[in-house]
Amino acid sequence: AEAVKIEGDARMAGYVERLTDAGIAVMAHIGLRPQQYLRMGGYRKFGKTEEERKQLTCDAKALEKAGAFSILIEMTDHRAAAELTANVSVPTISCGSGPFCDGQVLVMTDVLGLSERAPKFAKRYANLAGDIVSAYSAYVSEVKSGIFPGEE
């Protein structure tokens, strides 16, 4: 890997600093943190209150100061994401946080239509789940009927 992504707030700055001091590139991840979503109150939009916007700004600045090369901002109010982008010097990447970050990202399984329930902010560009299920069903059917593998 050329970099690691660490979900967390300002309390993770010490870890980010130790990793970057060791030569490991770190992307910080704030707002919704999927690996911690239950502890954070579930899937919801962050940065809607003044208190949350201040905390997100504090987090972003601490992680930037610790050496993060960029900050992924997930499922955060677009005004808060714009404010964060204006207040840090590293690139910000939006994942469901509006158009005002330096870049955009969506999870591959959502884009390709592989997830049953994609987040509200995601856009499906294909519906491959159906094709995959059909392909494996055909394979299983051919194995069970003896068509596959053939003599060739």
Side-chain angles (χ1 to χ4, degrees):
E2 293 183 26
V4 296
K5 181 181 69 67
I6 295 182
E7 293 184 3
D9 53 24
R11 293 174 291 188
M12 295 300 289
Y15 296 106
V16 171
E17 187 170 13
R18 284 194 289 280
L19 288 168
T20 57
D21 283 351
I24 299 169
V26 176
M27 172 186 267
H29 184 149
I30 63 174
L32 174 72
R33 300 186 306 262
Q35 282 70 43
Q36 303 169 37
Y37 80 98
L38 288 175
R39 208 169 47 111
M40 300 178 78
Y43 289 109
R44 65 177 184 84
K45 191 165 287 261
F46 290 80
K48 295 194 316 187
T49 67
E50 182 65 27
E51 183 181 325
E52 278 190 347
R53 284 192 295 279
K54 284 181 181 179
Q55 185 60 55
L56 286 166
T57 298
C58 175
D59 295 338
K61 287 183 175 186
L63 294 162
E64 174 187 35
K65 183 179 179 191
F69 71 86
S70 71
I71 302 171
L72 175 66
I73 306 170
E74 185 166 351
M75 209 167 175
T76 298
D77 179 79
H78 70 279
R79 293 172 296 264
E83 194 176 301
L84 288 167
T85 299
N87 281 298
V88 295
S89 60
V90 296
T92 59
I93 309 300
S94 169
C95 184
S97 297
F100 304 115
C101 292
D102 299 305
Q104 297 287 325
V105 68
L106 286 176
V107 175
M108 177 191 74
T109 55
D110 297 334
V111 171
L112 298 177
L114 296 173
S115 13
E116 278 187 36
R117 293 183 340 168
K120 290 179 185 178
F121 61 79
K123 182 176 179 181
R124 284 188 175 181
Y125 288 86
N127 187 11
L128 299 182
D131 292 341
I132 290 169
V133 169
S134 292
Y136 274 104
S137 293
Y139 165 71
V140 168
S141 177
E142 286 191 9
V143 169
K144 285 182 176 180
S145 68
I147 295 172
F148 183 85
E151 288 184 34
E152 67 282 351

